[in-house]
Amino acid sequence: VRGLQEVGVIESVDMFCDLIQRGWHHRLMKTPNPMLFKKGPGSLKFWQALVLLWSIGLQEKVQHPFNDKMKAVAGKAFSKAPGIKAFPRSIEKADDYMVKKEMKGHDEQVCAGLHVIDGLRCSFMVDTVAENIHLGRCLEEQFPVARTKN
């Protein structure tokens, strides 16, 4: 509970109880999903959902500084920051990664949501290949790159 409070996902124990009992968290979950928590702490989905909610909360905390740094490096090439990947899509991706990466064991499967690393993202637009290569190099000089897409 404390970890979820520290990243701003929940504000109180009451809010946590509401999440567990009704599967509802108004800000991160688009619709109620009581099945995530129905089987309780013995369920893999229970822990996967909590880890993923924590991860999304952490991304929310760093979203503005992240966007500011991306804009500082990319300048006018910074196109958009579409926001953090929503919980429903993130839990789908976590399930996909669990299968694709052949995750074995409870601990590894619980952390499948941490493999969804494109939750905090932005887009860049440039006119030429040379500008694309230059921007890519500038970003790589400033930040460690875990994975790129497209």
Side-chain angles (χ1 to χ4, degrees):
V1 174
R2 189 171 296 130
L4 294 172
Q5 285 177 313
E6 288 173 358
V7 296
V9 171
I10 60 170
E11 297 169 9
S12 66
V13 173
D14 290 342
M15 189 182 236
F16 180 74
C17 290
D18 192 42
L19 171 67
I20 300 304
Q21 291 171 354
R22 293 194 267 164
W24 178 252
H25 188 277
H26 61 90
R27 197 169 50 77
L28 298 179
M29 300 172 85
K30 302 293 183 194
T31 59
N33 194 339
M35 296 308 292
L36 283 174
F37 302 103
K38 186 174 184 171
K39 294 182 181 175
S43 159
L44 177 63
K45 274 290 172 219
F46 178 95
W47 293 108
Q48 281 179 327
L50 293 180
V51 167
L52 192 53
L53 287 169
W54 172 83
S55 178
I56 292 170
L58 189 61
Q59 292 170 44
E60 286 181 333
K61 286 184 86 73
V62 301
Q63 181 178 17
H64 294 295
F66 171 83
N67 288 337
D68 291 345
K69 294 223 182 228
M70 293 295 116
K71 287 176 189 173
V73 172
K76 67 179 180 152
F78 184 88
S79 172
K80 64 180 179 176
I84 296 166
K85 188 179 298 284
F87 178 85
R89 179 66 181 131
S90 293
I91 198 118
E92 286 176 16
K93 289 195 70 142
D95 287 341
D96 290 346
Y97 287 136
M98 194 168 53
V99 172
K100 287 178 185 172
K101 296 183 178 200
E102 299 179 1
M103 295 180 185
K104 305 288 185 227
H106 189 264
D107 292 350
E108 190 175 9
Q109 292 174 343
V110 162
C111 293
L114 299 178
H115 290 257
V116 182
I117 62 171
D118 62 339
L120 184 60
R121 63 224 170 167
C122 62
S123 297
F124 306 104
M125 290 185 66
V126 294
D127 294 324
T128 67
V129 172
E131 289 175 313
N132 189 22
I133 292 169
H134 175 73
L135 178 56
R137 287 185 179 145
C138 289
L139 290 168
E140 288 175 346
E141 287 172 7
Q142 295 281 324
F143 311 102
V145 176
R147 181 175 82 200
T148 60
K149 187 175 178 180
N150 302 341

